[in-house]
Amino acid sequence: MSESSRLSGEVFYPDPVAAAAAHVPDHEALRAAAAADPLGFWAARAAELEWYKPWDKVLDDSNAPFFKWFTGASTNIVHNCIDRHLSGPYRNKLALIWVGENGTDHQTFSYFSLNREVTKMANVLKAMGVGKGDRVTIYLPRIPEVVFAMLACAKLGAIHSVIFAGFSADALQDRIGDSESKLVITADGSWVNGSVFKLKDIVDEALRFSPTVENVIVVRRTGHEVAMDPLRDHWYHDLTALPIAKGPCATEPMDAEDTLFILYTSGSTGKPKAILHTHGGYMVGTYTTLKYTFDIRDEDRWWCTADPGWITGHSYLVYGPLLTGATTFMFEGGPTYPYPNRWWQLIEYYGINIFYTAPTAIRSLMRFGEAWPNRHDLSSLRLLGSVGEPINPEAWQWFHRVIGKGQCPIMDTWWQTETGMFQICPTPSLPLKPGSGGKPFFGQEAEILDEAGQPVADGEEGFLVLKNPWPAMLRTLYRDDERYVKTYWSKYPGKYLAGDSARRDKDGYFWIIGRTDDVIKVSGHRLGTAEVESALVSHPAVAEAAAIGLPHEVKGNAIHAFVVLRLGHEPSPALAEELRKHVSIHLSPIAKPDWIDFTEKLPKTRSGKIMRRVLKARALGQDEGDTTTLDE
Ligand code: WTA
């Protein structure tokens, strides 16, 4: 019997003493209670937070799928992340611990000093004319200012759009243009494995065609020479020295349904989608899921390794932890620089209690062997977490045994940019099955459907749908209601289509298999085949391109691109390398294809659609399936 099949049949039962002390001591009992009254469940959670004005209605579903939560209520997520903590026992508690890539830069912020920094940045933004509803693009490395910037926007009621600082100028320009941002917050550069990555140069290039941007704020991080446009660009440290930065700044009262942020994510077709989240529901959803699933306690130090450029960073590095009054830890660097013990060293040094990361990172660290983690005392850890892609049982087992010393339950959380918060996940009182995220969160129900919309039998694969609305759900796609309805609510009316295939076992546990659309998860990052293809086609030698994801031991999936060359260009290893680089520069290094295959022709349907499914089957040497529509 193989290692994986033995493990996938295994169940890890919670330690009864630890489970009994958790926020959710009896998972099934709470699930049953919440199922009987989901809105009552959510209203009670919302009541744990502060509102300037209470809601009239918990859920307004009169215009589904445009759901509204906590209608009539007024709040601001920053009031609950910061303001309310200032008058209570959390005032002097550490809100944020930050460590730089070099290991020597280090800053800590109590809730009091986080408020000081956020207020300063909000004052600066306000002086630059940023107000309620304005869009601000944030393109920053993992430094404290990214947290200040997000919260400062929210405090003023402005809408932030954070772009992962690994995206290229083209990608940045598209997103700035689509959101019509009036201000960009960036840094001179970021540190990547000891070298400077020149962020400001990328912003300069992106802004050549971004007419809406009036001002750029530049945080000094790397200290290298950068060009500054005297009319447009401002050093952040110069601005904060001005009188405009001083004094208090009121937190803007927001309607619960007012927009908090938009976040671009890859979809199956065309340009990235701007997922829209709101102040009220997102606040209640991220607060509740983090508190219950990761059982946050006052004394905990929480580390989510995600970048704020992705939803995991938004919900569980910034907003969720501050809402629960936790101490959130942020590290600028990656896990293997300068040595593969970097994360383990930080866990030991800072006494991290709960550690939330991605399967791809675990797989890559496994390759360096157990000696690296074993050099460190990891006994502060109480709980572990996984997100972004299915975790294979081998990686689960290694994480559990080597990092958690067999003592720490692993919370495998399934969710999406769209869902804003966990949807399928355990809590410390649910028995765990390695590779499964367990059951839908309290108040939620999920189903596995066949093509015709009928539930499939237990154990069979099908389309994953969510049945109930939830507070942190996306409200729409920014300025594209039609695409919102079409993408998520039209295949099975009344049910949210996740875009994943999955199965449910006889115990009601869900097992995610992978995407059913043209989204590829590479090292947990979400990329669209269409984006990779358009980056390839922008190269003068390329006539047509198709990208697919193929299984990869560490990255989960790796990109394999098929390219048809224009007349006069010959295939060569040098050209393949050039094209890989081209994607890296024009989209992102994370989107760089692992393989380029030159081909004469791409398999297409008679209507001209590329059949990526056929390419994938051929690459894997599998049956091509139904090819009756193939035009060959
Ligand atoms: C995948 C990331 C299996 C899934 C929070 C989903 C997962 C997509 C898991 C969303 C998990 C996320 N197990 N698959 N625990 N978590 N996924 O928007 O395919 O970057 O649809 O959000 O990641 O990716 P996104």
Side-chain angles (χ1 to χ4, degrees):
M1 199 186 277
S2 79
E3 172 93 332
S4 67
S5 59
R6 183 177 61 79
L7 283 171
S8 61
E10 228 169 278
V11 178
F12 287 81
Y13 289 94
D15 170 60
V17 179
H23 285 307
V24 181
D26 186 339
H27 191 99
E28 296 296 2
L30 184 59
R31 239 183 83 70
D37 180 14
L39 298 186
F41 171 79
W42 285 117
R45 304 290 75 74
E48 294 173 20
L49 296 164
E50 290 183 2
W51 304 75
Y52 302 129
K53 180 174 170 276
W55 53 89
D56 305 323
K57 232 177 154 185
V58 176
L59 173 68
D60 175 358
D61 55 3
S62 59
N63 187 26
F66 297 95
F67 296 95
K68 290 182 177 167
W69 284 82
F70 308 108
T71 53
S74 168
T75 188
N76 185 310
I77 197 167
V78 173
H79 177 86
N80 282 292
C81 285
I82 301 179
D83 304 4
R84 77 178 168 122
H85 298 316
L86 299 178
S87 52
Y90 293 175
R91 174 185 165 97
N92 296 322
K93 180 181 173 178
L94 288 188
L96 172 66
I97 302 175
W98 174 81
V99 179
E101 191 193 67
N102 61 14
T104 47
D105 293 348
H106 166 268
Q107 293 184 56
T108 55
F109 301 88
S110 64
Y111 278 89
F112 174 82
S113 46
L114 179 64
N115 180 58
R116 181 189 63 223
E117 296 304 320
V118 171
T119 300
K120 219 186 321 180
M121 185 155 324
N123 278 331
V124 166
L125 295 179
K126 203 157 134 187
M128 290 186 149
V130 172
K132 201 167 174 174
D134 288 335
R135 275 82 57 212
V136 172
T137 291
I138 300 173
Y139 186 66
L140 281 169
R142 272 197 300 283
I143 55 176
E145 285 78 2
V146 69
V147 180
F148 308 157
M150 291 166 73
L151 295 167
C153 288
K155 189 174 174 71
L156 297 175
I159 299 169
H160 60 70
S161 164
V162 186
I163 315 291
F164 175 60
F167 274 117
S168 70
D170 298 6
L172 181 60
Q173 185 197 318
D174 285 351
R175 289 158 174 79
I176 291 174
D178 189 76
S179 62
E180 300 185 323
S181 290
K182 71 194 264 192
L183 191 131
V184 175
I185 307 176
T186 189
D188 49 357
S190 62
W191 287 111
V192 181
N193 298 339
S195 316
V196 172
F197 183 70
K198 296 184 174 170
L199 283 186
K200 175 66 168 54
D201 289 3
I202 295 176
V203 170
D204 288 342
E205 201 183 323
L207 291 188
R208 285 194 297 153
F209 307 102
S210 302
T212 58
V213 175
E214 297 161 9
N215 289 296
V216 177
I217 296 178
V218 188
V219 176
R220 181 172 280 159
R221 173 64 191 131
T222 52
H224 69 286
E225 195 75 28
V226 294
M228 296 288 280
D229 177 332
L231 293 178
R232 188 196 68 189
D233 302 346
H234 318 269
W235 286 109
Y236 184 55
H237 56 263
D238 287 342
L239 296 170
T240 53
L242 298 173
I244 50 161
K246 308 265 181 309
C249 174
T251 301
E252 184 75 27
M254 303 296 284
D255 187 279
E257 281 295 308
D258 277 339
T259 305
L260 170 62
F261 66 84
I262 53 176
L263 181 59
Y264 288 89
T265 189
S266 300
S268 45
T269 51
K271 58 177 186 133
K273 302 179 285 196
I275 307 295
L276 187 147
H277 285 288
T278 57
H279 273 259
Y282 178 80
M283 172 175 94
V284 175
T286 53
Y287 163 79
T288 307
T289 45
L290 184 64
K291 177 176 165 182
Y292 281 6
T293 301
F294 284 101
D295 194 37
I296 300 285
R297 316 238 182 103
D298 273 355
E299 62 277 21
D300 279 332
R301 288 189 168 183
W302 156 263
W303 182 7
C304 162
T305 64
D307 190 279
W310 311 104
I311 191 66
T312 308
H314 280 60
S315 299
Y316 299 111
L317 173 70
V318 180
Y319 288 113
L322 300 177
L323 288 166
T324 56
T327 299
T328 187
F329 180 83
M330 178 160 84
F331 173 50
E332 184 183 29
T336 55
Y337 179 81
Y339 301 109
N341 63 330
R342 202 58 204 280
W343 280 2
W344 319 133
Q345 198 177 34
L346 290 166
I347 289 173
E348 175 176 19
Y349 191 85
Y350 290 96
I352 302 296
N353 308 108
I354 315 176
F355 180 65
Y356 184 44
T357 192
T360 184
I362 299 162
R363 287 192 298 263
S364 80
L365 289 165
M366 271 169 78
R367 292 190 312 169
F368 295 100
E370 294 177 27
W372 288 105
N374 286 347
R375 283 169 53 183
H376 298 279
D377 175 4
L378 303 179
S379 60
S380 60
L381 291 172
R382 181 163 68 84
L383 282 172
L384 300 172
S386 173
V387 60
E389 49 178 330
I391 181 164
N392 46 312
E394 290 80 1
W396 196 102
Q397 183 65 3
W398 190 86
F399 199 27
H400 189 257
R401 180 176 57 83
V402 180
I403 306 306
K405 310 295 175 206
Q407 306 292 315
C408 307
I410 299 175
M411 303 295 115
D412 180 357
T413 58
W414 176 88
W415 59 297
Q416 309 177 300
T417 308
E418 290 85 342
T419 68
M421 63 182 230
F422 307 150
Q423 290 298 312
I424 297 176
C425 61
T427 69
S429 60
L430 185 74
L432 304 174
K433 299 188 185 190
S436 164
K439 303 187 176 186
F441 193 75
F442 310 110
Q444 186 54 284
E445 294 302 335
E447 262 185 336
I448 311 289
L449 303 180
D450 66 12
E451 193 57 51
Q454 292 306 310
V456 303
D458 282 345
E460 273 177 34
E461 184 176 346
F463 296 95
L464 175 65
V465 297
L466 300 174
K467 289 172 72 178
N468 295 340
W470 62 98
M473 64 196 307
L474 78 164
R475 295 302 190 264
T476 188
L477 298 177
Y478 184 62
R479 292 182 179 162
D480 201 348
D481 289 346
E482 199 182 313
R483 191 171 173 203
Y484 164 71
V485 176
K486 187 162 168 261
T487 310
Y488 305 105
W489 302 97
S490 64
K491 188 173 173 83
Y492 308 114
K495 290 173 184 169
Y496 171 85
L497 180 72
D500 279 359
S501 69
R503 56 194 173 82
R504 182 173 56 194
D505 68 19
K506 58 174 183 8
D507 302 321
Y509 281 57
F510 285 78
W511 301 74
I512 307 295
I513 296 162
R515 299 288 309 187
T516 55
D517 54 8
D518 295 319
V519 167
I520 312 178
K521 276 282 179 144
V522 182
S523 300
H525 299 317
R526 179 163 163 178
L527 295 165
T529 52
E531 290 167 280
V532 179
E533 289 159 6
S534 64
L536 281 166
V537 177
S538 72
H539 187 281
V542 177
E544 270 190 301
I548 57 169
L550 291 183
H552 185 281
E553 215 181 303
V554 174
K555 299 197 248 186
N557 294 288
I559 297 174
H560 191 130
F562 298 84
V563 165
V564 179
L565 292 175
R566 285 180 191 277
L567 225 56
H569 294 272
E570 291 301 321
S572 71
L575 181 57
E577 188 48 35
E578 188 180 320
L579 294 178
R580 294 176 63 234
K581 273 209 193 107
H582 185 82
V583 175
S584 174
I585 295 167
H586 290 272
L587 179 56
S588 169
I590 56 178
K592 193 171 173 177
D594 276 31
W595 306 278
I596 300 269
D597 258 2
F598 296 104
T599 174
E600 295 284 307
K601 197 172 166 192
L602 294 172
K604 286 188 191 158
T605 61
R606 270 170 227 123
S607 59
K609 255 182 92 176
I610 298 170
M611 296 182 81
R612 295 189 190 82
R613 176 177 61 76
V614 172
L615 286 169
K616 193 162 176 172
R618 284 181 190 167
L620 294 173
Q622 292 170 346
D623 178 23
E624 290 179 19
D626 180 8
T627 51
T628 46
T629 57
L630 194 62
D631 180 30
E632 276 195 316

